[in-house]
Amino acid sequence: DPEKHSTRDKTLHNPPLYHPQLSPAAGGGLWILNPLAPTPQLIRQIRSLEKQHGPVRHIVLGTVALEHKATLGPFAQYFTRNHNDGSKDGGATIWIQPGQWSFPLQLPVEYLGVVQSNEKLRVLPSSRFLHGEKSPEEEVASIPERRYAYWAKKRPVPEWTVDIDYETLGPLRFRSVGAFGETAFFHKPTNTLLVTDCVCSVTKTPPKVIQEDPRALLYHARDSIEEVVEDTTATREKGWRRMVQFGLVFFPSQIEVVAFGEAIRQAGRIDPSMKPLGEGAVPGGALYPWTWHDNDADLANFNVISQNGKLFCPPILTKLILDREPNKTLDWVRRITDRFDFDHIIPGHLNNYVQAGPKEFSQAFDVLRSNPNEGVVFPQRALAEDLALLQEASDLLTKFGVVAESQVCDLEPARRVGRFAGIAPNI
């Protein structure tokens, strides 16, 4: 129902803006999750929605990921209400995921541009408190910052939980610096689950927003810098599937890297009609320092990831983060699927408004259930040769004590094939 919730199409790295209209019982107005950068176009859209549904009343950061937190402050500054006498009432209330961190210095969110304070700047209550599994005293005692603890004691339950329930994972602390944490929100009026990074879905069709300016799709559709491509549906789909592979596995197995000097020389020979494809994105608009294997060889790699849009947990999480804490993650998944009867999911990346329920959501985390000792191994959602870089990163980060050892064994075929097989450790 577009009157109850709305989403924006997104590219691989840009999350949607989810802004359901709250019911009168939940305080009315708009509730925004993981805001994007406040471009003029976005702010105009929000102002239009405010005219229809009332002001932005709550802005929620449902993750500790730095890339999502970076835009919170600049966006929130647009939603402090000014009065004729020059005073402010704070406008929207900011709710942040517990366990926030920054690098190289640990800074409060005000240093990221958040201007709200006191009762207008809150930490999300733990979902266990929300569901009666923790007492108010235990909840307050678990909040390390006194300013958040004060308001947690005075006004413990967000008014919007009449419409929106949630379950929180983490924070899962890394051994050296950083953490992972995410909250899954359930919008009761529409039976919709809202998540940030934990699951996604991808199909061959590029999102509409990226097709508004298809240059990135055409840029990546080329097999080499010498190729001249035409703007067709097939070309756009080819470019999209390659963008997806770069975004999810970072170093696709179906590319060959061109030496730096040769890449510079090739850039000087690019067909003039292709140079605008990279303008504003790559040096000189021409650099293309790789080639793709012939005959659409990467299509098979993409199909293994896509599986026609079947929900999955991204490999960067199953190879570097959640595999370190599989039991806590799967307990979170169980609590979500036991408590929320959803029929659609809105992830923070890739496909929007995915038709999926608790069963499909749980299956997306099957790789964390792998246990070769019991004869149970679930494959990762990418070919082993495409996971070579992530596997190498996992081994190195473990070796240097940045993260704990992985608790999940998928038989690690990524160590035996691909680019780094010759230097992989014997584990």
Side-chain angles (χ1 to χ4, degrees), residues 152-191:
K153 184 177 181 179
K154 190 171 183 178
R155 299 178 185 171
V157 180
E159 62 180 352
W160 47 263
T161 55
V162 171
D163 283 2
I164 301 170
D165 202 347
Y166 60 86
E167 285 285 354
T168 297
L169 172 65
L172 307 178
R173 302 284 183 185
F174 303 153
R175 280 189 171 175
S176 58
V177 63
F180 179 86
E182 180 168 336
T183 296
F185 297 89
F186 176 59
H187 187 228
K188 303 172 191 177
T190 57
N191 296 329

Side-chain angles (χ1 to χ4, degrees), residues 374-427:
E374 298 180 1
V376 178
V377 177
F378 293 96
Q380 298 276 348
R381 272 293 280 278
L383 292 176
E385 52 264 37
D386 286 322
L387 293 172
L389 179 63
L390 287 175
Q391 184 67 63
E392 182 69 9
S394 174
D395 291 337
L396 288 174
L397 292 172
T398 302
K399 177 180 178 180
F400 291 110
V402 178
V403 296
E405 292 185 1
S406 175
Q407 302 300 306
V408 175
C409 179
D410 60 6
L411 300 181
E412 275 68 49
R415 288 199 187 104
R416 302 190 298 272
V417 298
R419 305 175 187 279
F420 306 104
I423 60 173
N426 294 319
I427 297 179

Side-chain angles (χ1 to χ4, degrees), residues 212-228:
E212 293 176 2
D213 181 355
R215 287 180 298 166
L217 298 170
L218 305 181
Y219 175 91
H220 285 282
R222 296 174 294 171
D223 288 343
S224 69
I225 196 171
E226 291 90 1
E227 185 176 1
V228 177

Side-chain angles (χ1 to χ4, degrees), residues 123-136:
V123 67
L124 282 171
S126 72
S127 50
R128 294 189 181 277
F129 166 69
L130 197 67
H131 300 139
E133 300 168 17
K134 289 175 67 176
S135 70

Side-chain angles (χ1 to χ4, degrees), residues 330-341:
L330 292 173
D331 179 64
W332 177 65
V333 170
R334 179 192 57 76
R335 286 186 278 121
I336 291 170
T337 56
D338 285 353
R339 190 176 297 276
F340 306 143
D341 186 20

